[in-house]
C-alpha cells in the first residue's frame, strides 16, 4: 500500500488537539459517573465507534493506494524559435530601463511559461545568427538571454527576412509532419524598424509552411534618443537620432502570416496575452506510454467513517441512571 501524502505538522496538531479534547471529555464523564454512583460501561461502545470513525477519516485523508491499474501518459509540446532584435535602437530608453533590458526580463517569463516545450533563440540586426538551438534546458536559455547585447551582431540596419528564413530552415530540419508544423512557432521581438528587402519572400514561405508567427513590438510611438558613450547617438549630419516603435511593420508581418501582434510600451504589456495565445496553439503528441499505477482508494475508508458516524448517531445510550 502506498500513500498520497503523509501527516504533516498541521494535520498532526489538529489530530492531537482532537484526541486531547476527547480524552478530557471521557475523563469528565467518568468522574461524573462516579459522583452519581452509576456505571460508565454503556458509553464504551460509542467511544469505540467514534475512535474508529476518526481513524478511518485520517486514513482517507492520507490517500491510501492499493491494487494495480494502468494509465496512459501523454507528452505534448511545441517548438518555438524566438528571434530578438539586437539593433542599436533596442538601447533606447522609452521603455524602462531600455527596450532590450525589458525584453530580457520578459523573455525569462516566457521561457518559464513553456517549460515543457523546446525553445530556440535567434539574434539579428542586419544579419541573423542562431544563439541557442531548440532545447528543453531552461538554465541554458536563461544564460543566453542574460548575455544579450547589441554588440553581438553587425548593426547596419534591421532585416526581418534573415531571422525568419533561419527559423524556417531550422524548423524544417526537424522533418516535421503537417500536424507537427501546426505546433511550430516563430516569435519576432523588435521595435519594428525593418530595412530588409527579403521580408516579403520570407513571409510567403511562412504562409506555405503552415508555421505560426507572432510579433512582439517594443517601444513607443513618441520614441527616444539612444545613449552612446557619454552622450547620444547622432546621424551623419550630427543630429541626435530619435527611434520610434514602428508597430505598422510588425502588425503587417503578423497579419500577412495569419499570426497575432502584441506590444510592450510605457503603458501596456501584452506578454501575458502573448503567453495565452501561444498556449492556445495545440501541441504535437511527442510520446505516449502506458504505465502501471496504484489506484487511490480513499473513498472506501471515507464511506466506512460516514457509516460509523451514522450508526453512532442512531444509537442512544443513557449516560446516567437516576
Amino acid at each position: 500500500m502506498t500513500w498520497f501524502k503523509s501527516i504533516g505538522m498541521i494535520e498532526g496538531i489538529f489530530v492531537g488537539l482532537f484526541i486531547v479534547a476527547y480524552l478530557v471529555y471521557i475523563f469528565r464523564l467518568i468522574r461524573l459517573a462516579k459522583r452519581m454512583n452509576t456505571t460508565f460501561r454503556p458509553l464504551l461502545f460509542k467511544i469505540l465507534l467514534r475512535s474508529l470513525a476518526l481513524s478511518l477519516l485520517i486514513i482517507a485523508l492520507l490517500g491510501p493506494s492499493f491494487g494495480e491499474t494502468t494509465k496512459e501518459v501523454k507528452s505534448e509540446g511545441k517548438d518555438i524559435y524566438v528571434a530578438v532584435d539586437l539593433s542599436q535602437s533596442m538601447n533606447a530608453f522609452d521603455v524602462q530601463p531600455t527596450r532590450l533590458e525589458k525584453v530580457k526580463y520578459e523573455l525569462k517569463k516566457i521561457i518559464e511559461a513553456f517549460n515543457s516545450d523546446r525553445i530556440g533563440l535567434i539574434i539579428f540586426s542586419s544579419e541573423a545568427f542562431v544563439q541557442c538551438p531548440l532545447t528543453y534546458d531552461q538554465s541554458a536559455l536563461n544564460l543566453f538571454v542574460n548575455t544579450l547585447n547589441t554588440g553581438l551582431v553587425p548593426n547596419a540596419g534591421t532585416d526581418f527576412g534573415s531571422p525568419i528564413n533561419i527559423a524556417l530552415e531550422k524548423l524544417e530540419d526537424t522533418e516535421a509532419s503537417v500536424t507537427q508544423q501546426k505546433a511550430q512557432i516563430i516569435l519576432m521581438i523588435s521595435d519594428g524598424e525593418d530595412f530588409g528587402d527579403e521580408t516579403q519572400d520570407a513571409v510567403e514561405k511562412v504562409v506555405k509552411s503552415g508555421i505560426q508567427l507572432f510579433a512582439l513590438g517594443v517601444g513607443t510611438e513618441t520614441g527616444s534618443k539612444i545613449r552612446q558613450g557619454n552622450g547620444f547617438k547622432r546621424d551623419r549630419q550630427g543630429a541626435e537620432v530619435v527611434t520610434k516603435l514602428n508597430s505598422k511593420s510588425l502588425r503587417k508581418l503578423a497579419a500577412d502570416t495569419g499570426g497575432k501582434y502584441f506590444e510592450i510600451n510605457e503603458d501596456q504589456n501584452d506578454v501575458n496575452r502573448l503567453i495565452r495565445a501561444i498556449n492556445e496553439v495545440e501541441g504535437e503528441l511527442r510520446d505516449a506510454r502506458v504505465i502501471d499505477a496504484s489506484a487511490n482508494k480513499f473513498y472506501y475508508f471515507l464511506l466506512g467513517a460516514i457509516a460509523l458516524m451514522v450508526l453512532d448517531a442512531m444509537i442512544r445510550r443513557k449516560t446516567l441512571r437516576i
Side-chain angles (χ1 to χ4, degrees), residues 49-50 53-54 57 302 304-314:
L49 284 179
R50 293 170 184 175
L54 174 63
L57 283 174
L302 181 60
I306 293 173
L308 290 176
M309 287 188 287
V310 171
L311 181 61
D312 177 43
M314 294 176 62

Side-chain angles (χ1 to χ4, degrees), residues 90-139:
M90 292 296 286
N91 288 326
F93 50 90
D94 50 352
V95 176
Q96 295 294 322
T98 67
R99 295 175 183 175
L100 181 56
E101 289 302 318
K102 181 64 173 178
V103 166
K104 289 164 67 174
Y105 174 80
E106 298 296 342
L107 259 180
K108 294 178 181 179
K109 186 189 299 184
I110 294 171
I111 290 170
E112 183 180 0
F114 301 106
N115 53 21
S116 62
D117 302 314
R118 294 196 302 175
I119 301 177
L121 190 62
I122 295 174
I123 56 177
F124 73 95
S125 181
S126 55
E127 298 179 35
F129 307 91
V130 176
Q131 182 78 342
C132 179
L134 290 172
T135 181
Y136 292 107
D137 191 340
Q138 289 194 323
S139 297

Side-chain angles (χ1 to χ4, degrees), residues 96-293:
Q96 295 294 322
T98 67
R99 295 175 183 175
L100 181 56
E101 289 302 318
K102 181 64 173 178
V103 166
K104 289 164 67 174
Y105 174 80
E106 298 296 342
L107 259 180
K108 294 178 181 179
K109 186 189 299 184
I110 294 171
I111 290 170
E112 183 180 0
F114 301 106
N115 53 21
S116 62
D117 302 314
R118 294 196 302 175
I119 301 177
L121 190 62
I122 295 174
I123 56 177
F124 73 95
S125 181
S126 55
E127 298 179 35
F129 307 91
V130 176
Q131 182 78 342
C132 179
L134 290 172
T135 181
Y136 292 107
D137 191 340
Q138 289 194 323
S139 297
L141 280 166
N142 284 320
L143 182 62
F144 281 114
V145 168
N146 285 334
T147 61
L148 292 179
N149 65 83
T150 55
L152 292 177
V153 292
N155 273 277
T158 306
D159 181 6
F160 288 168
S162 185
I164 294 175
N165 284 327
I166 288 182
L168 286 172
E169 179 185 343
K170 297 301 179 181
L171 290 172
E172 288 170 357
D173 283 346
T174 61
E175 297 181 355
S177 63
V178 175
T179 306
Q180 287 175 321
Q181 287 173 348
K182 295 180 181 178
Q184 294 178 330
I185 295 168
I186 299 173
L187 172 59
M188 292 285 296
I189 302 178
S190 174
D191 54 22
E193 295 181 342
D194 179 23
F195 303 100
D197 299 324
E198 301 179 3
T199 302
Q200 191 55 41
D201 290 338
V203 166
E204 292 174 2
K205 292 178 183 178
V206 172
V207 174
K208 290 179 181 178
S209 70
I211 295 172
Q212 301 201 46
L213 187 147
F214 295 94
L216 177 63
V218 184
T220 65
E221 300 293 340
T222 305
S224 77
K225 302 174 184 178
I226 305 171
R227 287 196 180 96
Q228 190 175 58
N230 295 326
F232 298 101
K233 183 178 177 63
R234 297 178 180 273
D235 58 21
R236 293 179 180 178
Q237 286 72 40
E240 293 180 340
V241 175
V242 175
T243 174
K244 301 179 181 180
L245 169 66
N246 184 359
S247 61
K248 184 178 179 180
S249 62
L250 289 169
R251 291 179 188 276
K252 185 177 186 302
L253 182 66
D256 290 348
T257 57
K260 295 180 180 178
Y261 171 76
F262 303 90
E263 190 170 304
I264 297 175
N265 56 43
E266 76 275 27
D267 301 316
Q268 177 181 344
N269 189 334
D270 288 339
V271 169
N272 288 332
R273 287 183 54 235
L274 169 65
I275 291 172
R276 287 196 296 270
I278 296 177
N279 270 325
E280 290 174 359
V281 177
E282 184 178 355
E284 170 66 17
L285 180 63
R286 298 263 168 85
D287 185 27
R289 292 177 294 171
V290 177
I291 62 173
D292 294 329

